[in-house]
Amino acid sequence: MTLLYCLSANAAEINHNVQGRVADKITGDPIPAKVFLMDADSTILATTKATIENVPYQGQIALYVFNGKRLQKGKYIIKASMLGYKDAYENITLQSQRQTTLIANPILMEHDVHELQGVTVKATKIKMVMHGDTIVYNADAFNLAEGSMLDALVARLPGAQLTREGQIFVNGRLVKSLLVNGRDFFSGNPKMALENLPSYTVSKIKVYDRESQNSRLMQRDMGDKSLVMDVKLKKEYLATLFGNVEAGAGSDGRFALKGFGMKSSRKEMFFAFTNINNLSDNQKADMTGRWTPQDAPNGLLTNRSANVSYARFFDSSMDKWLSTQNTISHDDIDLQTRKNIETFLPGGNLVRLSQSQADTKTTVFDSQNALHYGESGKYSTMTSLNFHYKRNRKYADADAASSDSTSLLNELVERSMDKSENYHLTLSNSSTLKHIIDLLHSDFSMEYDKLHGNSFSLYDLRYAEASQARDFRNKYQIKDSRHWDVKEGIAYDWNWPGWSLRPQYQYEYKYNKTNNALYRLDKLEGHDSTRYDLLPSSRAALLKVLDHNNSYYYTEYQNHHRLMLEWEINAATGRNKMNIEYGYIRLPLRFVSKNLYYTRVGRHDVSAHEVFFEPEAFFSGGRSVRWELNAVIKSEIPDLVKKVDYRDDSDPLFLISGNPNLKNIHRYQASLLLRHEGNGQRMWNASVKYDKTDNDIAYATLYDMRTGISTIMPVSVNGNWRVEGQTGLTLPLDSARRWTIDNQLSARYDHNVDMTTTEENVASMRSIVNNWQMGDEVKLSFRPNDRIDFALLAGGTYYYIHSRRSGFTNVHAGDYKVGLTTEFQLPWDIALGSDMTLYARRGYYESMMNTTDWVWNAHLSRSFLKGALVAKLTGFDLLHQLTNTRYEMNDQGRTELWYNSLPRYVMLSLSWRFNVSPKRKLMP
């Protein structure tokens, strides 16, 4: 009550804000007019002037604001005056005292005899500037290799990090959406833009907090901002069809063919690409020092993909639009693998050696479609329809052997063939209706997933111990599953100056059906057991060899009811005495009912009914130094299939059982983020996070050291928690900003509970492993002029893994790298780039893991026909020091992996750029 009193103490004396924009009636250009606020009798209450500002989705507008006016319910008049224009008027009405902000319709002024002269601003070569709370990067200030895509530009932005998964972080914050000219064209798949949009088309990149749907509907800040990266194209690529075509051939049979086309205008956006190559996916000659030996591709991959995307915008404020994105791809993968896995166990370790070869063909079709319709200040609705199809074919051979420190335990030979098809369909709608100052929300979604697959396999297991008989199996397996997920929710925002209350109800229904049938073809009379792709002629004969112990089917029904009351504080809608800019406290109750009807050699039904209290809190504020505080508690019932009392021995080396005694899982998370974004390219951030899980699921594993058989069962464990912190700093070292340093420092501690042991040491099965990890990455950039770029990269990570478990060897090890990247723009339109980096691993007690790799990538290019045609020579791993073998170590063991990759190549390519401008209509 005290808190509510503090927030509403001034409710009786509410101040009102009136705002709107002024524009030319014919051209729509912004007009910095003088604006008057008058009552119904034309008495002037206040005067201001419209100022021209950049607004997302709308570009430049002339905005006027009357702040802090105490108004009574009724009608008011707004008048705009400007030399050379006729006076113009608009009416507004205050319907409720809770209506703290009034948005007027645009004041459209009739154009007179002259137009304002345009102002030309000469671009500078400064990499980054701050415009208010917006970070603006100048793309022309970065020297990039010919043919570079948007991802190469983003990776070079000061204070930005780009992950392999396509996630972008700026000053420690995750970018939620990637925009092009202020539009969410690539929101569903940002990697599409990162990997296919040429960097030469980009003028500027802006990073800012964008208002979301509620703010646009209410036409004021509702605290629902999210961080976005807005890619602004150069003027010559606006309202034109542009793109490029590139073809290349290289050593070891490498080839690449890529085509791209795009059109971006106020009314529509079109995007298409095709890509055919055998460069094993991510195997590119990266020039940013981000490539590491651990990123070497697995196997030989040939990819064929194509995409066509289109969006149509029916107004300038993004209230009415539709979009579609359609991608089809086909991958052929030849993967050969050799593994040496050593598992740390009390009294002696277990070693498993294996080698395999697999040929996989995968076809994927993905379609994402959306329709948004609304009217600013009234309502908004968005409907999405997405479809995903995947077909997979795999043929594999594998050989393996397990041993202890002294002798062989078993040998395995396996041949297999797998086929599967997956269909996934999603339909959703989100609608919001404004009522004076309140909002009514409704959400609906429906998700359907269907999977059908079958597999053949020959399985031949031989034990070294004479008492263990040979285990030969010819298996045929059918897998079918269906999944439905339907959600419906409703909420109401009751808004007051500075705070709001939101009661909300959500219902979710889940339906899961799975059928897994395993047949032992080796038990068929007269059947050739050396064939693993041959079925009997009759279904009756097949049913006779059904493996009942390892076949099952089940149906699961879930019902989730969620009741929530949310209290929100927002300084943008009214001041508060807590100095909090935005925050909320959510108090949800979730009622969960799960019922599983499971059949495997009889019925094993499981049900669970729980009520979870899952509070959340988030607060943010600050001026020069911004801060964000977040805390959340989540709970869940374990997967009911894991709670079934069963034993699966379909793979005799890995015996898996369920555990009816699994407990409900509870997760606790808290985080604090501090950040500063100042002038002069100076930024820093610091964060700390804490995660703890009660009743986490661990897989208790018992090893039989006589046979190499593992018995695995899920168990509930306590004691898993993590704390991590990081800090980042970006700043220039000189006044001309030629020297820039970017540093990222991180530390993490994991307290892990391990449940792995041997049958002889069951009493000491639980053990605790402490995992410390500390790292730092530094990038020093030097740009003496517009034609030369240098960057010195250095970084390292230290690992300390400690446990008191018997036989565990503590790990003190580290990885580090040092590299230099350069870009030169030479005379005669020649460009030269190089990236040489040393990657090293030290401190591992296995000498084979202490490796040193020099990676040198380089390119040389020459442009012709005013840059329309580019010839490029690219080299990857020129020193040929990369090995196909990788080493990994954690608290449970050591792994040595070998893959059939051919990292080194040299490629010559030609690319042609095109830009087709629309034909101008001749004046009569």
Side-chain angles (χ1 to χ4, degrees):
M1 294 299 295
T2 303
L3 186 60
L4 293 177
Y5 171 77
C6 292
L7 295 172
S8 58
N10 297 324
E13 299 179 354
I14 295 177
N15 292 328
H16 303 86
N17 302 324
V18 180
Q19 65 185 55
R21 64 185 182 93
V22 186
D24 188 290
K25 187 174 183 178
I26 303 300
T27 66
D29 293 335
I31 300 175
K34 190 174 183 179
V35 184
F36 304 88
L37 175 62
M38 302 183 294
D39 62 16
D41 296 326
S42 299
T43 301
I44 297 177
L45 304 178
T47 304
T48 188
K49 184 178 181 180
T51 58
I52 298 178
E53 300 181 5
N54 285 307
V55 177
Y57 302 127
Q58 303 180 50
Q60 285 192 333
I61 66 171
L63 181 68
Y64 64 87
V65 178
F66 296 98
N67 286 320
K69 304 303 175 184
R70 295 182 183 176
L71 305 178
Q72 301 300 318
K73 292 174 61 175
K75 296 183 178 180
Y76 295 86
I77 303 171
I78 302 176
K79 173 186 173 182
S81 297
M82 182 70 182
L83 182 64
Y85 288 86
K86 297 180 180 179
D87 291 348
Y89 301 85
E90 277 294 337
N91 298 325
I92 59 171
T93 302
L94 179 63
Q95 298 175 293
S96 169
Q97 283 296 324
R98 292 191 294 122
Q99 196 174 357
T100 57
T101 300
L102 286 80
I103 309 296
N105 291 329
I107 302 177
L108 302 179
M109 306 187 71
E110 292 187 14
H111 196 266
D112 202 358
V113 295
H114 72 279
E115 297 183 359
L116 294 175
Q117 296 296 318
V119 179
T120 301
V121 180
K122 184 178 180 180
T124 67
K125 291 297 184 178
I126 296 176
K127 291 184 177 181
M128 186 192 90
V129 295
M130 293 294 302
H131 287 169
D133 293 331
T134 300
I135 304 173
V136 182
Y137 297 102
N138 180 12
D140 290 336
F142 299 88
N143 286 332
L144 300 173
E146 288 286 353
S148 294
M149 297 297 140
L150 179 61
D151 57 354
L153 175 58
V154 171
R156 288 177 176 260
L157 302 179
Q161 292 85 42
L162 176 63
T163 69
R164 288 287 172 185
E165 294 74 27
Q167 287 186 318
I168 305 171
F169 292 84
V170 176
N171 201 22
R173 301 175 66 201
L174 175 64
V175 173
K176 297 297 182 65
S177 298
L178 181 65
L179 316 180
V180 175
N181 288 338
R183 304 184 187 273
D184 282 300
F185 191 50
F186 296 101
S187 59
N189 188 4
K191 288 191 70 175
M192 189 185 302
L194 290 168
E195 297 177 354
N196 293 282
L197 184 62
S199 61
Y200 66 79
T201 65
V202 180
S203 170
K204 289 179 173 58
I205 293 181
K206 296 183 177 182
V207 179
Y208 54 88
D209 286 299
R210 182 189 62 170
E211 296 175 342
S212 297
Q213 175 178 295
N214 288 350
S215 293
R216 295 197 295 271
L217 188 60
M218 296 295 289
Q219 298 179 315
R220 60 189 177 96
D221 187 358
M222 294 296 293
D224 56 351
K225 294 180 179 179
S226 61
L227 189 67
V228 300
M229 177 173 283
D230 192 355
V231 178
K232 300 293 186 180
L233 301 181
K234 295 178 179 177
K235 289 184 178 181
E236 57 265 36
Y237 300 109
L238 296 177
T240 66
L241 178 63
F242 65 91
N244 64 343
V245 178
E246 181 177 358
S251 58
D252 295 316
R254 300 298 175 94
F255 66 87
L257 178 62
K258 186 174 184 179
F260 157 84
M262 184 174 180
K263 181 181 179 181
S264 175
S265 68
R266 287 188 175 185
K267 292 186 177 181
E268 62 182 358
M269 292 187 73
F270 170 79
F271 178 88
F273 77 84
T274 182
N275 190 359
I276 304 174
N277 71 81
N278 63 351
L279 300 181
S280 296
D281 192 20
N282 66 345
Q283 189 176 353
K284 299 183 295 184
D286 186 80
M287 294 294 165
T288 63
R290 296 182 300 124
W291 200 95
T292 70
Q294 301 304 311
D295 294 319
N298 301 338
L300 303 178
L301 169 66
T302 300
N303 170 263
R304 304 170 185 87
S305 59
N307 170 273
V308 176
S309 301
Y310 178 78
R312 180 77 165 113
F313 309 102
F314 300 101
D315 60 10
S316 61
S317 59
M318 286 293 288
D319 286 327
K320 302 176 180 66
W321 55 267
L322 61 84
S323 68
T324 180
Q325 296 183 15
N326 304 277
T327 305
I328 187 169
S329 65
H330 180 81
D331 291 339
D332 291 329
I333 306 174
D334 174 17
L335 177 62
Q336 299 176 29
T337 307
R338 291 199 293 266
K339 296 182 181 180
N340 182 350
I341 302 175
E342 182 179 7
T343 303
F344 301 147
L345 296 170
N349 297 340
L350 182 69
V351 177
R352 182 177 175 85
L353 302 175
S354 65
Q355 61 181 9
S356 64
Q357 178 175 352
D359 294 316
T360 305
K361 299 181 183 298
T362 302
T363 301
V364 175
F365 174 72
D366 187 79
S367 179
Q368 300 182 28
N369 308 276
L371 171 64
H372 187 280
Y373 193 86
E375 186 173 344
S376 295
K378 293 185 178 180
Y379 63 90
S380 173
T381 182
M382 179 173 174
T383 301
S384 299
L385 177 63
N386 301 327
F387 175 74
H388 180 86
Y389 169 78
K390 182 178 181 180
R391 183 180 64 193
N392 194 71
R393 302 288 187 270
K394 181 180 179 181
Y395 301 86
D397 299 332
D399 302 276
S402 299
S403 62
D404 58 18
S405 57
T406 59
S407 60
L408 179 70
L409 301 179
N410 61 61
E411 291 181 304
L412 172 65
V413 177
E414 189 172 12
R415 307 288 182 266
S416 64
M417 178 179 67
D418 298 88
K419 297 180 180 180
S420 66
E421 282 188 313
N422 178 237
Y423 301 85
H424 191 92
L425 179 68
T426 303
L427 173 65
S428 64
N429 174 267
S430 178
S431 300
T432 304
L433 176 66
K434 179 184 176 183
H435 175 63
I436 305 178
I437 195 173
D438 299 335
L439 294 175
L440 176 65
H441 308 270
S442 68
D443 297 281
F444 170 80
S445 68
M446 180 183 67
E447 183 178 335
Y448 173 72
D449 187 271
K450 176 184 177 182
L451 173 66
H452 173 76
N454 60 70
S455 64
F456 293 88
S457 69
L458 283 178
Y459 187 98
D460 190 1
L461 176 63
R462 301 170 187 259
Y463 296 96
E465 192 172 89
S467 61
Q468 297 287 335
R470 175 190 179 189
D471 195 334
F472 176 81
R473 306 185 182 196
N474 188 336
K475 299 185 289 186
Y476 172 62
Q477 189 173 28
I478 299 176
K479 297 180 180 179
D480 280 298
S481 67
R482 305 287 189 276
H483 170 78
W484 281 95
D485 190 341
V486 180
K487 295 180 183 178
E488 175 66 45
I490 189 168
Y492 188 83
D493 289 348
W494 190 47
N495 295 310
W496 281 88
W499 64 280
S500 66
L501 286 177
R502 169 187 280 197
Q504 178 181 344
Y505 170 74
Q506 184 183 69
Y507 171 72
E508 181 177 11
Y509 170 78
K510 291 185 178 182
Y511 170 82
N512 300 306
K513 184 177 181 180
T514 296
N515 184 13
N516 184 90
L518 180 63
Y519 301 91
R520 293 286 300 274
L521 302 182
D522 55 287
K523 295 185 177 182
L524 284 170
E525 295 182 2
H527 184 76
D528 184 2
S529 291
T530 62
R531 293 281 303 274
Y532 66 91
D533 57 351
L534 184 65
L535 290 174
S537 57
S538 68
R539 179 169 176 77
L542 184 64
L543 290 175
K544 289 182 179 179
V545 293
L546 178 66
D547 187 346
H548 293 280
N549 290 331
N550 297 302
S551 298
Y552 58 89
Y553 65 89
Y554 65 82
T555 304
E556 182 185 24
Y557 304 90
Q558 297 184 22
N559 290 277
H560 301 251
H561 300 269
R562 188 171 186 259
L563 293 170
M564 185 185 76
L565 181 64
E566 176 181 319
W567 170 77
E568 182 181 279
I569 182 173
N570 184 4
T573 64
R575 60 181 181 176
N576 60 78
K577 297 183 178 181
M578 303 173 64
N579 295 321
I580 294 174
E581 181 179 285
Y582 176 75
Y584 58 77
I585 295 177
R586 294 172 179 168
L587 305 174
L589 281 177
R590 188 160 62 94
F591 301 83
V592 184
S593 176
K594 292 185 177 183
N595 295 279
L596 177 71
Y597 303 95
Y598 187 97
T599 300
R600 182 200 289 250
V601 193
R603 288 288 294 270
H604 305 272
D605 297 345
V606 182
S607 63
H609 309 280
E610 298 290 346
V611 179
F612 295 123
F613 178 57
E614 301 172 309
E616 300 179 43
F618 174 84
F619 296 99
S620 64
R623 294 185 180 274
S624 176
V625 177
R626 309 281 298 169
W627 58 269
E628 295 179 4
L629 180 64
N630 187 42
V632 61
I633 298 175
K634 294 291 184 182
S635 301
E636 61 181 289
I637 298 173
D639 183 357
L640 293 189
V641 175
K642 292 184 174 66
K643 300 186 71 172
V644 175
D645 188 9
Y646 73 91
R647 180 180 176 87
D648 190 307
D649 60 358
S650 56
D651 186 339
L653 283 179
F654 298 92
L655 308 180
I656 302 174
S657 62
N659 183 0
N661 298 316
L662 291 177
K663 301 177 181 178
N664 293 333
I665 304 168
H666 305 287
R667 308 184 191 277
Y668 310 89
Q669 300 176 344
S671 64
L672 173 65
L673 169 67
L674 304 175
R675 60 184 174 88
H676 170 73
E677 292 153 4
N679 295 323
Q681 201 173 309
R682 290 172 170 83
M683 295 188 296
W684 64 264
N685 69 85
S687 65
V688 61
K689 298 179 182 178
Y690 172 79
D691 295 274
K692 180 178 182 291
T693 304
D694 289 342
N695 301 325
D696 200 3
I697 292 182
Y699 288 89
T701 305
L702 287 176
Y703 289 93
D704 185 341
M705 298 304 292
R706 298 179 301 106
T707 61
I709 296 176
S710 304
T711 303
I712 304 169
M713 182 178 70
V715 295
S716 296
V717 298
N718 289 313
N720 284 333
W721 59 276
R722 170 191 295 177
V723 61
E724 58 183 313
Q726 65 178 21
T727 181
L729 174 68
T730 300
L731 76 161
L733 301 180
D734 64 326
S735 59
R737 305 185 194 179
R738 295 188 179 95
W739 292 89
T740 304
I741 189 169
D742 199 326
N743 185 58
Q744 304 293 326
L745 178 67
S746 63
R748 190 178 79 184
Y749 169 73
D750 287 275
H751 188 271
N752 296 321
V753 176
D754 187 13
M755 301 291 287
T756 301
T757 190
T758 64
E759 293 185 348
E760 293 78 10
N761 296 272
V762 176
S764 59
M765 187 173 189
R766 177 187 170 95
S767 65
I768 296 176
V769 179
N770 302 286
N771 193 330
W772 295 87
Q773 179 177 322
M774 288 162 281
D776 190 24
E777 288 201 12
V778 181
K779 178 180 179 182
L780 180 64
S781 303
F782 175 55
R783 191 167 192 250
N785 54 54
D786 294 341
R787 303 182 65 84
I788 300 175
D789 261 329
F790 293 93
L792 178 64
L793 308 169
T797 304
Y798 170 72
Y799 305 94
Y800 174 48
I801 304 175
H802 167 73
S803 177
R804 296 180 180 178
R805 185 177 66 192
S806 174
F808 186 91
T809 302
N810 294 335
V811 177
H812 296 267
D815 305 339
Y816 66 88
K817 65 179 181 180
V818 179
L820 177 66
T821 66
T822 58
E823 289 288 345
F824 298 94
Q825 299 295 328
L826 304 176
W828 304 295
D829 296 323
I830 296 175
L832 174 65
S834 172
D835 172 17
M836 180 175 286
T837 306
L838 166 68
Y839 298 92
R841 299 158 62 93
R842 295 292 184 268
Y844 297 92
Y845 70 90
E846 291 285 351
S847 59
M848 65 180 65
M849 298 184 67
N850 296 314
T851 59
T852 301
D853 298 297
W854 284 93
V855 181
W856 183 26
N857 305 325
H859 70 86
L860 179 67
S861 63
R862 171 74 158 84
S863 60
F864 305 90
L865 304 178
K866 298 181 180 180
L869 182 66
V870 177
K872 185 177 180 181
L873 184 65
T874 303
F876 179 84
D877 186 26
L878 293 174
L879 301 180
H880 203 189
Q881 289 209 3
L882 282 177
T883 175
N884 298 349
T885 304
R886 291 179 233 169
Y887 305 94
E888 301 173 359
M889 178 177 285
N890 57 27
D891 48 6
Q892 295 181 343
R894 176 188 62 84
T895 302
E896 177 185 345
L897 301 171
W898 176 91
Y899 297 102
N900 61 320
S901 57
L902 296 173
R904 182 185 188 185
Y905 71 85
V906 176
M907 176 172 287
L908 177 64
S909 62
L910 287 176
S911 64
W912 172 63
R913 303 176 184 176
F914 62 86
N915 189 359
V916 182
S917 300
K919 295 182 178 180
R920 297 183 180 273
K921 296 182 180 180
L922 298 176
M923 298 297 293

